[in-house]
Amino acid sequence: MNIIDELEWRDAINQTTDEDGLRELTAEKSVGLYCGVDPTGDSMHIGHLIPFMMLKRFQLAGHHPYIIIGGGTGSIGDPSGKNSERVLQSMEQVHHNEQALTAQMTKLFGQDSNISIVNNYDWLSKISLLDFLRDYGKLFNVNSMLAKDVVASRLEVGISFTEFTYQILQSVDFLHLLRHHDVQLQIGGADQWGNITAGIDLIHKELGSDTKAYGLTIPLMLKADGTKFGKTAGGAVWLNPEKTTPYEFYQFWLNQDDRDVVKYLKFFTFLTSDQIAEYQKSVETAPEKREAQRRLAREVTEFVHSPEAVIEAEHISAALFSGEVKELTTSEIEQGFKNMPSVELAAEPENIVELLVNTKIESSKRQAREDITNGAIRINGEKIQDLDFVINPEKEFDGKFVIIRRGKKKYWLGRVNG
């Protein structure tokens, strides 16, 4: 199947500048293509992942992806969809973020000869102001620039000249990659359409109208309820395991709505059409098994993190579901209980009744004794019904944690001081 046909089947194409020409080009040779990300932070989140999943598909189909880490464009900031200017970062912070994003991209795409990671600071920083105005500014019509959606949306509240010129810099990127690396296709999110077409216009003005250059955008990802994909109550879902643990990452995918899961299998996994059809059938006939969500969580977690991260996430999930938390390692406790209520504990042993009251897990000693006697309290997975039981915080989990459970589902993580 031609890569363009595959993307169409996956509902992954929003717009193309010339679909027939692009299909013909990708059928006849290995194509250079690119997508960029600005180092506005030190990690991508899953919203960023969408166009790069498409880039990965091109790579697997034998084409050559170029990834631009936008050290140049990121130093000035693009005009976001918000009604305000971006706060400029120090160049020290920009360079730190560049390194972090380069490491993430290397992990996702590998380090073989069929992938190139470049930084547009390397060529944009060499253009003087006069050269920029003479060589590129003359080729851009202000009226056309104002008509671009991302600029037009900002006209009422205002936009600085710095952010206004962003589309020129991104256009220079496309021209540079075509000239020096034969990159003929740029892909991006739906909001990048104006920047992409501006780049193609620049190429045609500089290299001739018959120069083959193409653009492709990915649809805006919305959930079945109409809200934006990728956001949770806790904020963005990051690819950096320090910001979003692999367990949290796995759980995000596992908890997807039945109405969305097949779409996400198409977008975020490399399963075949036959495999996805089987999962679609399971969603329709046995949704309670959540087989599609489980496969989605496994595939994306393995792609972003590792097979070991999947095993660990499933181990944590099984332990929390069964209550057998004693089987977890200290590292797994840190992941699985990261967002659960926590209490501070002293390192010294303490009577269970006193501990429950002192941490306010129980409202009174009477209530604590009643819950203990009735078997409602578990410490580190073990049911405790002895009112004289003494909790030794240093006994389990390297002396760092005590897991307290009241009832069937209410957990607290005791963090040991000292």
Side-chain angles (χ1 to χ4, degrees):
M1 182 187 297
N2 180 279
I3 182 63
I4 303 303
D5 293 326
E6 181 185 353
L7 294 183
E8 282 192 332
W9 170 76
R10 292 183 184 274
D11 298 320
I13 296 179
N14 180 52
Q15 289 176 287
T16 59
T17 53
D18 177 3
E19 185 173 319
D20 290 338
L22 188 55
R23 182 180 281 102
E24 181 179 337
L25 183 73
T26 53
E28 66 186 23
K29 70 169 190 171
S30 173
V31 174
L33 70 152
Y34 90 96
C35 184
V37 60
D38 281 343
T40 52
D42 60 3
S43 174
M44 294 194 299
H45 55 67
I46 56 173
H48 293 126
L49 192 58
I50 298 170
F52 288 101
M53 292 297 296
M54 302 309 130
L55 209 67
K56 184 71 176 180
R57 295 189 198 286
F58 275 93
Q59 182 189 29
L60 294 174
H63 302 285
H64 189 122
Y66 283 76
I67 297 170
I68 286 187
I69 305 297
T73 44
S75 67
I76 70 162
D78 68 313
S80 68
K82 301 175 183 177
N83 291 327
S84 62
E85 292 277 320
R86 289 189 184 273
V87 177
L88 293 180
Q89 300 181 100
S90 69
M91 289 309 298
E92 181 182 10
Q93 185 63 49
V94 170
H95 292 322
H96 167 77
N97 295 343
E98 289 171 16
Q99 293 172 355
L101 294 183
T102 299
Q104 280 191 342
M105 290 300 184
T106 301
K107 188 173 187 299
L108 293 176
F109 286 86
Q111 292 181 288
D112 60 32
S113 59
N114 197 32
I115 174 72
S116 300
I117 301 176
V118 296
N119 189 331
N120 63 16
Y121 185 84
D122 293 342
W123 56 86
L124 293 179
S125 63
K126 292 181 173 63
I127 303 173
S128 72
L129 174 61
L130 292 179
D131 288 340
F132 174 76
L133 294 174
R134 289 177 60 87
D135 296 342
Y136 304 111
K138 271 292 188 181
L139 301 177
F140 283 80
N141 183 286
V142 170
N143 291 343
S144 298
M145 294 175 71
L146 290 172
K148 303 296 184 184
D149 288 344
V150 72
V151 174
S153 66
R154 289 278 300 279
L155 292 181
E156 283 192 22
V157 296
I159 182 172
S160 70
F161 179 73
T162 297
E163 292 195 2
F164 181 64
T165 58
Y166 184 93
Q167 63 180 276
I168 300 180
L169 296 185
Q170 186 168 324
S171 299
V172 173
D173 287 344
F174 200 172
L175 176 62
H176 176 89
L177 290 179
L178 178 56
R179 271 178 168 159
H180 296 279
H181 303 287
D182 195 28
V183 171
Q184 295 177 274
L185 170 64
Q186 181 183 175
I187 69 174
D191 61 338
Q192 292 297 308
W193 180 252
N195 290 332
I196 292 173
T197 55
I200 294 174
D201 289 342
L202 175 62
I203 287 168
H204 287 162
K205 288 173 182 176
E206 280 284 280
L207 305 180
S209 58
D210 58 343
T211 305
K212 292 184 177 181
Y214 304 88
L216 182 155
T217 61
I218 315 302
L220 176 66
M221 184 74 75
L222 295 174
K223 296 190 288 188
D225 61 9
T227 59
K228 192 173 181 180
F229 166 81
K231 296 290 186 180
T232 68
V237 179
W238 300 97
L239 306 194
N240 184 336
E242 299 298 320
K243 292 176 177 284
T244 299
T245 68
Y247 168 73
E248 292 173 301
F249 190 85
Y250 178 92
Q251 287 293 318
F252 170 81
W253 298 101
L254 185 64
N255 291 322
Q256 292 305 315
D257 193 303
D258 288 340
R259 296 171 294 174
D260 291 319
V261 65
V262 172
K263 174 172 67 177
Y264 296 161
L265 283 170
K266 288 182 176 182
F267 256 85
F268 294 102
T269 78
F270 301 98
L271 301 180
T272 66
S273 58
D274 289 342
Q275 288 173 309
I276 292 176
E278 286 299 313
Y279 285 111
Q280 183 167 10
K281 190 183 302 181
S282 75
V283 172
E284 295 167 355
T285 59
E288 71 283 356
K289 293 182 178 180
R290 301 187 70 77
E291 291 178 349
Q293 283 89 342
R294 205 174 311 281
R295 186 62 184 272
L296 174 67
R298 287 173 179 164
E299 292 289 322
V300 188
T301 305
E302 180 173 339
F303 175 65
V304 171
H305 294 294
S306 67
E308 293 75 21
V310 175
I311 295 170
E312 190 172 54
E314 292 185 333
H315 186 215
I316 296 170
S317 300
L320 292 178
F321 181 78
S322 67
E324 298 297 326
V325 294
K326 187 173 286 189
E327 303 300 320
L328 297 175
T329 65
T330 303
S331 171
E332 289 171 337
I333 291 294
E334 289 182 297
Q335 286 196 56
F337 286 80
K338 179 181 175 184
N339 294 317
M340 290 187 183
S342 65
V343 294
E344 297 296 321
L345 302 179
E348 295 76 23
E350 188 173 6
N351 171 267
I352 186 171
V353 176
E354 297 292 337
L355 183 145
L356 292 174
V357 175
N358 290 339
T359 56
K360 295 183 170 52
I361 291 174
E362 295 285 15
S363 59
S364 67
K365 289 185 178 181
R366 181 193 62 79
Q367 187 63 55
R369 292 189 188 102
E370 183 178 320
D371 283 345
I372 294 168
T373 303
N374 292 336
I377 300 297
R378 289 177 181 265
I379 303 297
N380 295 336
E382 182 181 351
K383 184 188 292 185
I384 305 297
Q385 293 181 281
D386 179 4
L387 296 176
D388 294 322
F389 181 81
V390 174
I391 296 174
N392 183 354
E394 296 184 342
K395 187 177 178 181
E396 307 277 357
F397 307 123
D398 300 320
K400 292 183 177 181
F401 305 116
V402 174
I403 300 172
I404 305 157
R405 175 176 150 196
R406 189 183 69 200
K408 291 185 177 181
K409 294 184 178 179
K410 191 67 174 177
Y411 282 96
W412 284 264
L413 178 62
R415 296 182 180 274
V416 182
N417 293 320

